[in-house]
Amino acid sequence: MLTRSAQRIAERLSESDVVLDIGGWADPFPRADWVIDVMPYESRGLYERQGWVERGSRGPERFDRSRWIQRDVCDREPFPFADDEIDFVVCAHTLEDVRDPVWVCAEMARIGRAGYVEVPSRLEEQSYGFAGPLVGWPHHHWLVDVGEESIEFVHKPHDIHGRPESHLPAGFQERLSEEERVQTLWWEGGFAARERVFIEPSPHESYLPGLVARALREHPMAPGSGGRLRRALRRARG
C-alpha cells in the first residue's frame, strides 16, 4: 500500500472504528480489527519475512488469531458481517489476484460504510520485463481500470506477452513513480464493479495498444533502450 494512503486512512479513523483488511495476508494492515484471507494466520507477513518492509516499523497488530478469517473470498458465500457493519474496508493488491473480483467488490460494498482499494496500474501491468521475460506480474489475472466511483476488470490475455504493440517496452516500468504504479479508489457508501468483456473488436485492436501509445507519449524513452533490455533478458533466459 502507498505510504501516504496508509497515513490518510490512519488519520480518518477513530479508535472505535471497525476496520477489515480483505486479502491482507502478505502485508496485513496493522490497524485492521479483522482480516479475511485464504492463507492461515500463522503464515501472515510474507513481505516482512522477505525484508520488503522494515521490521518493527509498522506498529503492533490490532487483530489477533480469533479475528483472522481463513476462507476463499471468491466462494460466493457472503462474508460473515452484516450490511454496513464495517466502518472501513481495506483491499490492497488483492483484486488482480483472485478469480472473481466482481463478487469481492460487491461484498466489500455491502458490509462496508467506506473503504480504500489499491491495484496495479495498467502502466505497470502492461510493462515488459520487470518480472522476467513477461508482461506485468505473471500471477495476475486482470487488467484494471479505476474510475471515480467504479472499478472495471478486463481479463489479461495470455498473448499480451508476445505482441509488442500491446505492451510497453522493457525498462518503461523503471520510469514510473510509486504513485504511477498503482490505481486507488476511495469510496463512501459503495461503488460499482463489473467485468468488461470484449467480443468485437479484439482488445489487441484498441484497448491494449491505446494505453501503450498514450503512455509512450507521456513517458518518452531513449531510442533503442527497450530493445537493449529486451535482448539482455533473452540472453539471461537462454
Side-chain angles (χ1 to χ4, degrees):
M1 181 189 299
L2 291 174
T3 300
R4 67 176 186 176
S5 292
Q7 293 171 342
R8 178 177 167 184
I9 294 170
E11 290 169 356
R12 66 161 286 161
L13 295 174
S14 69
E15 180 63 24
S16 61
D17 282 337
V18 178
V19 179
L20 168 67
D21 184 347
I22 297 176
W25 165 75
D27 189 14
F29 191 58
R31 174 56 181 81
D33 298 279
W34 294 87
V35 178
I36 182 169
D37 198 285
V38 72
M39 299 298 289
Y41 171 80
E42 294 79 8
S43 67
R44 71 195 184 282
L46 171 69
Y47 290 171
E48 281 202 10
R49 295 199 303 275
Q50 290 184 340
W52 294 11
V53 178
E54 182 181 352
R55 290 184 180 274
S57 64
R58 292 171 51 79
E61 294 172 340
R62 186 167 166 127
F63 60 89
D64 58 22
R65 182 192 302 271
S66 68
R67 290 180 289 175
W68 183 283
I69 303 167
Q70 184 182 354
R71 59 172 285 183
D72 178 357
V73 296
C74 297
D75 63 5
R76 286 278 171 169
E77 290 292 330
F79 294 174
F81 300 99
D83 294 0
D84 295 329
E85 180 178 349
I86 303 298
D87 294 296
F88 199 86
V89 181
V90 173
C91 186
H93 296 278
T94 294
L95 296 176
E96 67 276 9
D97 297 322
V98 300
R99 69 182 180 276
D100 193 352
V102 176
W103 164 259
V104 177
C105 287
E107 278 298 279
M108 198 186 316
R110 178 185 68 82
I111 65 177
R113 299 175 183 271
Y116 173 78
V117 173
E118 185 174 304
V119 295
S121 70
R122 286 180 58 199
L123 292 176
E124 174 162 285
E125 200 62 49
Q126 283 182 238
S127 289
Y128 179 91
F130 69 91
L134 300 168
V135 178
W137 296 98
H139 62 287
H140 289 172
H141 302 296
W142 304 96
L143 301 171
V144 189
D145 293 295
V146 176
E148 291 186 3
E149 297 180 352
S150 65
I151 302 181
E152 187 173 75
F153 300 92
V154 173
H155 165 67
K156 185 177 177 182
H158 299 295
D159 59 352
I160 189 175
H161 308 289
R163 290 179 176 264
E165 71 276 12
S166 294
H167 61 249
L168 292 153
F172 180 86
Q173 189 259 5
E174 299 173 1
R175 304 170 64 86
L176 299 176
S177 67
E178 184 181 20
E179 288 75 17
E180 289 174 322
R181 294 183 183 188
V182 301
Q183 299 175 90
T184 63
L185 175 66
W186 298 85
W187 58 272
E188 301 274 350
F191 62 97
R194 73 182 186 101
E195 179 183 358
R196 182 178 178 184
V197 179
F198 286 91
I199 305 299
E200 287 292 339
S202 161
H204 301 301
E205 295 177 16
S206 58
Y207 179 75
L208 298 176
L211 181 279
V212 172
R214 291 193 302 273
L216 290 177
R217 285 197 300 269
E218 297 170 2
H219 299 270
M221 299 183 67
S225 58
R228 289 193 298 271
L229 286 166
R230 189 187 299 272
R231 287 191 294 273
L233 284 165
R234 286 175 177 167
R235 288 196 297 272
R237 182 175 57 178

